[in-house]
Amino acid sequence: MHTISDLKVLYFGTPVVLIGSRNEDGSPNLMPMSSAWWLGDHAMLGVGNSSQTAANLARERECVLNLVPSTLVDAVDRLALLTANPAISPRRVEQGYRHERGKFAVAGLTEQAADLVKAPRVLECPVQLECVVEEAHAFGGPDGNATAFQVRVVRAHVEEELIIPGTHYVDPVGWDPLIMKFCEFFGGGSNLRPSRLAEGWQMPHQLERAGSGMLG
């Protein structure tokens, strides 16, 4: 049985990516996001224009997509309400965002140099994709509050244990990505922990039904 619903949010989410980029002063920046999809050696990234990352991608034309395993959920949550952009909108202040440039330190993650781009890799992420920006498209309706960045992967770094021996394929059984669904964290099919982002965005959340293992 289906019902017609005027859904308030259509943010179904995808695997979480930490976008590594460089600020205008050369310092590293990290932004968690879950609005990315891949086709061939290209990816499309949906980034809000109020973020420092949007400005960095437009200026530097490069980034690293660090794919996050479910084990790094706490690090991602520590980054959720941080922005390297000092100009924070009243709406974001109300949601709990604050200005922070030292994101690697706050998250407890390790900066790692890339090979072909200046943007930073995250040592703890088992999949790291160095990318160049090829196109940028206004996105988000008449307000134009986001940009869809089309990037091309120029180098992929993958933990050896995730590669199927004798191939260039990632083992889908060994890879357990962190998934964000409607601002909540999931891994291995389970809700992993409360999300600061969900709290800031005042997203309603139904707790796991006792003994069912399924979300209500």
Side-chain angles (χ1 to χ4, degrees), residues 26 56 79 82 84 90-92 101 107-108 115 120 142 150 158 167 178 192 215:
N56 291 349
L79 292 170
L82 302 181
R91 169 63 173 156
R92 281 196 148 196
R101 285 258 164 154
D115 294 341
Q150 180 180 324
V158 184
T167 77
L178 180 62
L192 297 176
L215 288 177

Side-chain angles (χ1 to χ4, degrees), residues 19-35:
I19 301 182
S21 63
R22 289 286 171 192
N23 298 317
E24 71 284 351
D25 60 2
S27 61
N29 188 47
L30 281 179
M31 186 191 80
M33 58 92 76
S34 57
S35 297

Side-chain angles (χ1 to χ4, degrees), residues 143-196:
D143 294 335
N145 59 358
T147 298
F149 289 95
Q150 180 180 324
V151 303
R152 178 169 52 88
V153 178
V154 294
R155 178 152 294 177
H157 305 262
V158 184
E159 284 284 355
E160 289 185 12
E161 63 183 19
L162 286 182
I163 297 292
I164 297 174
T167 77
H168 292 286
Y169 289 90
V170 171
D171 178 5
V173 176
W175 169 234
D176 182 30
L178 180 62
I179 305 290
M180 177 164 276
K181 294 190 295 184
F182 294 102
C183 296
E184 297 286 356
F185 294 119
F186 286 80
S190 299
N191 192 191
L192 297 176
R193 59 156 294 153
S195 163
R196 296 181 191 180

Side-chain angles (χ1 to χ4, degrees), residues 100-121:
E100 175 61 63
R101 285 258 164 154
K103 292 187 179 181
F104 272 94
V106 171
L109 298 173
T110 308
E111 181 182 355
Q112 186 178 24
D115 294 341
L116 303 179
V117 301
K118 295 178 181 178
R121 294 190 282 155

Side-chain angles (χ1 to χ4, degrees), residues 10-60:
L10 289 172
Y11 189 69
F12 288 87
T14 61
V16 175
V17 175
L18 287 176
I19 301 182
S21 63
R22 289 286 171 192
N23 298 317
E24 71 284 351
D25 60 2
S27 61
N29 188 47
L30 281 179
M31 186 191 80
M33 58 92 76
S34 57
S35 297
W37 60 273
W38 284 263
L39 185 62
D41 61 352
H42 284 69
M44 189 69 79
L45 314 175
V47 183
N49 290 337
S50 63
S51 70
Q52 183 67 33
T53 293
N56 291 349
L57 293 181
R59 183 186 63 255
E60 303 293 327

